[in-house]
């Protein structure tokens, strides 16, 4: 929890917690990214879960306004968001991730990409505001915890 204390943004904090939990469990994470128009970040996340046919109870969502040139042609009431959904690999299989990506595309969502087996520690290092010294300590402790954890049944 010490690495989460320095993160003010609730969505980033939820993402960091998911990543930290995955690291402690010795798991990788799954990433699903897309561009969605919405009134705000919460609406963009809700839309992403809905259009991907995924439960919002799984994973973490971070939506940031798209500042690329293409996003400049936005409608008055909506902003284009870069939406990232992350899930622990124990909760969302590779097949389920592919199905969610296909569901987003079928619903007309643009910029859909997915990535399996993402290293949670690499993702944590990319989150702004996390103290690097705390992260190094956490990395060591997470590796020890993962090594000591019983293997999941086949």
């Amino acid at each position: 929890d010490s690495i989460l204390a320095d993160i003010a943004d609730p969505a980033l904090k939820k993402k960091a917690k998911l990543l930290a939990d995955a690291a402690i469990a010795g798991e990788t994470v799954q990433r699903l990214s897309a561009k969605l128009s919405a009134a705000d970040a919460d609406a963009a996340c809700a839309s992403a879960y809905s259009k991907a046919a995924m439960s919002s109870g799984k994973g973490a969502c971070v939506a940031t306004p798209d500042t690329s040139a293409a996003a400049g042609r936005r409608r008055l009431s909506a902003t284009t968001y870069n939406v990232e959904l992350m899930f622990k690999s124990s909760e969302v299989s590779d097949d389920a991730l592919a199905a969610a990506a296909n569901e987003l595309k079928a619903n007309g969502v643009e910029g859909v990409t997915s990535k399996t087996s993402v290293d949670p520690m690499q993702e944590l290092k990319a989150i702004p505001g996390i103290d690097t010294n705390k992260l190094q300590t956490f990395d060591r402790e997470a590796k020890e915890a993962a090594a000591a954890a019983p293997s999941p049944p086949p």
Side-chain angles (χ1 to χ4, degrees), residues 69-114:
R73 303 184 307 259
R74 63 180 77 147
R75 295 186 298 254
L76 292 174
S77 63
T79 301
T80 299
Y81 286 87
N82 292 315
V83 181
E84 178 186 66
L85 300 175
M86 298 208 93
F87 307 94
K88 289 197 291 189
S89 55
S90 62
E91 292 182 340
V92 174
S93 68
D94 292 0
D95 289 345
L97 186 72
N102 288 333
E103 195 70 30
L104 283 170
K105 291 173 188 170
N107 278 302
V109 177
E110 295 180 15
V112 177
T113 60
S114 62

Side-chain angles (χ1 to χ4, degrees), residues 106-148:
N107 278 302
V109 177
E110 295 180 15
V112 177
T113 60
S114 62
K115 185 166 187 208
T116 59
S117 303
V118 177
D119 179 345
M121 287 309 301
Q122 292 304 316
E123 287 294 314
L124 278 168
K125 290 173 185 170
I127 294 178
I130 291 184
D131 181 307
T132 53
N133 291 329
K134 287 180 184 175
L135 195 56
Q136 287 174 341
T137 301
F138 173 78
D139 189 16
R140 187 181 64 250
E141 291 171 352
K143 283 182 176 136
E144 290 167 2

